[in-house]
Amino acid sequence: MLPELEECPSSGYVKMAAPLASKAGSAGTNSKPPFPELDFRSGARVEELNKLIQEFTKHDQREYDDQRALEIHTAKDFIFSMLGMVQKLDQKLPVANEYLLLSGGVREGVVDIDLDELNVYARGTDYDMDFTLLVPALKLHDRNQPVTLDMRHSALCHSWLSLRLFDEGTISKWKDCCTIVDHINGATNYFFSPTKVADWFYDSISIVLSEIQKKPQRGMPKVEKVEKNGTIISIILGVGSSRMLYDIVPVVSFKGWPAVAQSWLMENHFWDGKITEEEVISGFYLVPACSYKGKKDNEWRLSFARSEVQLKKCISSSLMQAYQACKAIIIKLLSRPKAISPYHLRSMMLWACDRLPANYLAQEDYAAHFLLGLIDDLQHCLVNKMCPNYFIPQCNMLEHLSEETVMLHARKLSSVRSDPTEHLRTAIEHVKAANRLTLELQRRGSTTSIPSPQSDGGDTNQPDDRLAKKLQQLVTENPGKSISVFINPDDVTRPHFRIDDKFF
């Protein structure tokens, strides 16, 4: 049947209407079912990718029972008590200190620290849970104006720190952890040294742990490993049937916002209207890491870990699931040479949140699209050797890499992009194997004599039982949130901790 013609007088053109038979056919019973949605590049079924991401999430995110919650609390108390004793050694650390406890170790990209000098630890083989604890060695919390740092000697995102900002008492306590620069006019300037601070911190922790282990107490965690990894002190504790990795990072803590990142506040961001600017810019850190050509003894790196905890509240669960799955894939694939860290992927995710509409990113069944998009973004960054820091965009975090290195990693990512289904299955098998190792350790018995909340013991266990239930509730209700701890070294048995803006 020929299509019908209809004259359009105003334009002189002729419009062609659809054939009647086609209209009838489209509404008839012979129409084919919709074709399954496929990824154009790999041919993978999007529905299958979504299911695999859900399976990975199920195995990667473990639920904590009362016993595990109590073990987490016991390990945390042990670490905080140890730090209180470190403060008493030589009074270097602030008396009233505020720590930032992050879920996930440094190797997981929770802070921007290079992984080259870190020993390889594997979940299941070496530990069951991992945390990062930022411990301020110095604090500058009395300034409301933008903080101006001395960046004359450093690359972007890095700074030297002169103790001229502090009083004479602070200089006297810390000058043995400084590099000294004498000026022509005879003045002496002390620059806080990240490497010397890390050396002092490791030595002090070792002394305290040695003293603690001379007088072991019932239920006390077993210190299975203490290692200095570059400027980070890694401690693995055996608590009950769990092994917990704490990456302890000495930092300098600031209230306010650095002047070098001031322009970032002028831009529109995905978190606008969801959280307040005051929450985002409440403070920042200097962490002990230097730039590619920087001087290790003097240079610190700006860290916005506190802000990132707040921004994480505004990221949809489907995007976070895709991010975690993508991270699991690239951590092993791009481990040698260690040019790419999970922190780069985290930065790309934040940029994607700024770039894409919020209602698109909120789609619960789009995790597969987000995973493929993150892989594409990472490959694009490698090919162009460009990954801007989210808070200081003028800082390119891949600038120092050679062309050979970026192309090597880009080719590896190309293989992932060609078969994301198989790489997801491999990631799932790895996390399942790690979980099996953990369960096997639990079956072999406890590593310490910490009592179970369900064990016989009369009323003495009731407070621990209530505490474990409370902790389990906090973990369930506050996934991924920061815990700031206020500790008095004269009474380390009663730490006061805060989960974001809630006090306990």
Side-chain angles (χ1 to χ4, degrees), residues 226-340:
V226 183
E227 288 187 338
K228 182 171 176 287
N229 289 289
T231 53
I232 296 163
I233 293 84
S234 298
I235 300 177
I236 297 179
L237 299 176
V239 192
S241 58
S242 301
R243 296 159 301 163
M244 301 186 198
L245 167 63
Y246 268 82
D247 285 327
I248 304 179
V249 187
V251 299
V252 182
S253 176
F254 293 85
K255 289 293 185 189
W257 198 246
V260 68
Q262 203 68 20
S263 61
W264 177 80
L265 296 176
M266 304 297 111
E267 305 294 333
N268 294 324
H269 297 290
F270 71 98
W271 48 267
D272 292 338
K274 299 176 183 176
I275 52 177
T276 65
E277 186 174 286
E278 288 71 23
E279 290 176 285
V280 175
I281 65 170
S282 60
F284 68 99
Y285 298 99
L286 294 180
V287 297
C290 74
S291 60
Y292 179 65
K293 294 183 179 179
K295 190 174 180 181
K296 282 189 174 182
D297 288 343
N298 284 5
E299 197 169 82
W300 298 77
R301 180 174 297 164
L302 275 76
S303 169
F304 301 91
R306 186 181 294 276
S307 303
E308 288 165 3
V309 168
Q310 300 298 327
L311 299 186
K312 192 175 178 182
K313 298 176 186 178
C314 306
I315 298 176
S316 69
S317 59
S318 51
L319 179 55
M320 281 305 304
Q321 289 173 10
Y323 163 74
Q324 295 293 349
C326 188
K327 183 174 70 171
I329 292 171
I330 70 161
I331 258 181
K332 295 188 180 299
L333 186 76
L334 307 184
S335 60
R336 291 289 185 273
K338 289 184 179 177
I340 298 296

Side-chain angles (χ1 to χ4, degrees), residues 134-276:
L134 304 189
V135 179
L138 288 175
K139 297 193 303 181
L140 266 178
H141 285 190
D142 57 349
R143 299 180 174 215
N144 293 320
Q145 69 271 27
V147 180
T148 302
L149 298 167
D150 185 358
M151 297 183 168
R152 293 171 298 171
H153 314 284
S154 307
L156 274 169
C157 277
H158 299 81
S159 177
W160 291 22
L161 182 68
S162 171
L163 290 193
R164 286 180 176 179
L165 297 170
F166 301 86
D167 56 39
E168 287 298 325
T170 301
I171 295 174
S172 177
K173 280 192 294 188
W174 282 106
K175 64 182 179 182
D176 59 332
C177 290
C178 293
T179 57
I180 301 173
V181 177
D182 293 320
H183 292 281
I184 299 175
N185 61 8
T188 299
N189 201 351
Y190 294 94
F191 287 99
F192 207 41
S193 169
T195 53
K196 291 185 177 183
V197 170
D199 289 340
W200 164 83
F201 203 27
Y202 175 71
D203 292 341
S204 298
I205 286 175
S206 299
I207 291 170
V208 166
L209 289 178
S210 176
E211 289 299 314
I212 290 175
Q213 289 170 320
K214 287 178 183 177
K215 301 176 183 178
Q217 298 178 4
R218 181 174 180 272
M220 187 177 76
K222 177 185 176 183
V223 180
E224 297 191 351
K225 187 176 291 186
V226 183
E227 288 187 338
K228 182 171 176 287
N229 289 289
T231 53
I232 296 163
I233 293 84
S234 298
I235 300 177
I236 297 179
L237 299 176
V239 192
S241 58
S242 301
R243 296 159 301 163
M244 301 186 198
L245 167 63
Y246 268 82
D247 285 327
I248 304 179
V249 187
V251 299
V252 182
S253 176
F254 293 85
K255 289 293 185 189
W257 198 246
V260 68
Q262 203 68 20
S263 61
W264 177 80
L265 296 176
M266 304 297 111
E267 305 294 333
N268 294 324
H269 297 290
F270 71 98
W271 48 267
D272 292 338
K274 299 176 183 176
I275 52 177
T276 65

Side-chain angles (χ1 to χ4, degrees), residues 6-7 36 41 72 94 122 194 263 301 312 426-428 461 481:
E6 178 183 344
E7 187 175 353
R41 174 69 185 87
I72 292 172
S263 61
R301 180 174 297 164
K312 192 175 178 182
T426 301
I428 291 169
N461 277 330
K481 293 189 177 180

